[in-house]
Amino acid sequence: MNSDMGEGIGLHRFGNDPELMEVVDLANIACGFHAGDPDIMSATVASAAAHGVRIGAHPSLPDQWGFGRRAMVLTPEEVESLVRYQVGALTGFLLQHGAPLHHLKPHGSLYGMVARDPALMEPVAKVAADHGVAVLGLAGTAHESVCAERGVPFVAELYVDLDYDAEGGLIIQRTPHATDPRAAAERVTRALTTGRIAAVDGTELPVRFDSVCVHSDAPGAPAVARAVREALDAHAAAG
């Protein structure tokens, strides 16, 4: 399981990081462009390290006002610069707390932009390769194909608190909504047993995944994460 964390600014905190640190395996830590000031980054890295949670960079479009959920027109060179800058910021705190960088996962609209455009995904994979880490993303998109071309390890994700459209793309909402923990567990169980999930319009979608994402800033996230963990553990126990 993975979760986006460290999404706060100054005195403002968003998410359920303390509870989720007890449940997840990977933390995708905001690097300052959509959220995450230096103190929050340092504290989140320290907490993840203390809980044995592997740490990834969660670089975003430079859009705190829109929380990185509004698309921008960028060149590949601009994408490389903003990703490299943010990963560099996080590695400073990893050095401080004696933790390694484990992976890289773009945030929000940047995630969708590079999934659709191999030219924009190329610099993301390049930065990951320079750091010797994996990329988290969607199977069957430029996330996966560009990583394969560059020899970058790829970790495919399943989302339980976002809807999918009929083409298998994520429906990104500006404001997170609550997810029924039972529905999240059922999606994971169905995906594990049948390799399929339902799109928002009922379309049956094939899905491949290595990790399940639960967003920390969504209402009820701890209950969703615990339900997903139970579903994963039950499937593992069943062999």
Side-chain angles (χ1 to χ4, degrees):
M1 289 179 60
N2 75 85
S3 185
D4 306 340
M5 296 187 174
E7 294 180 323
I9 296 290
L11 299 178
H12 304 286
R13 298 292 191 274
F14 310 100
N16 299 273
D17 292 6
E19 296 91 340
L20 291 182
M21 284 294 186
E22 304 287 341
V23 184
V24 303
D25 306 290
L26 309 178
N28 318 309
I29 298 181
C31 303
F33 274 27
H34 75 287
D37 65 34
D39 286 339
I40 291 174
M41 290 174 67
S42 179
T44 308
V45 168
S47 178
H51 285 85
V53 175
R54 288 164 286 178
I55 298 167
H58 198 37
S60 170
L61 298 173
D63 181 24
Q64 288 185 353
W65 187 267
F67 206 68
R69 291 175 177 156
R70 302 182 294 189
M72 294 181 175
V73 178
L74 297 172
T75 66
E77 292 77 16
E78 289 171 326
V79 170
E80 179 174 351
S81 293
L82 67 88
V83 171
R84 193 175 293 281
Y85 181 95
Q86 291 175 83
V87 174
L90 181 65
T91 57
F93 295 107
L94 293 173
L95 287 171
Q96 177 189 15
H97 296 289
L101 181 68
H102 178 266
H103 63 277
L104 190 161
K105 175 185 170 181
H107 164 80
S109 287
L110 180 61
Y111 186 95
M113 289 164 58
V114 302
R116 296 185 295 270
D117 189 340
L120 295 181
M121 181 60 202
E122 184 73 23
V124 177
K126 181 179 179 182
V127 174
D130 287 347
H131 286 272
V133 299
V135 170
L136 270 63
L138 289 178
T141 71
H143 291 162
E144 182 175 28
S145 62
V146 173
C147 284
E149 291 168 4
R150 277 196 163 267
V152 173
F154 176 72
V155 178
E157 294 186 284
L158 172 70
Y159 285 82
V160 294
D161 50 15
L162 293 177
D163 291 323
Y164 289 75
D165 62 29
E167 286 71 46
L170 291 173
I171 300 174
I172 305 294
Q173 297 178 319
R174 291 287 299 278
T175 303
H177 65 275
T179 296
D180 182 346
R182 291 174 298 179
E186 288 170 3
R187 175 177 285 185
V188 171
T189 300
R190 185 166 184 242
L192 287 168
T193 55
T194 70
R196 306 183 77 81
I197 60 172
V200 68
D201 67 350
T203 300
E204 291 288 307
L205 300 171
V207 63
R208 292 184 288 109
F209 66 100
D210 309 296
S211 182
V212 179
C213 180
V214 175
H215 286 95
S216 178
D217 66 334
V224 172
R226 288 191 294 270
V228 169
R229 174 59 70 192
E230 289 174 4
L232 292 172
D233 289 347
H235 180 78

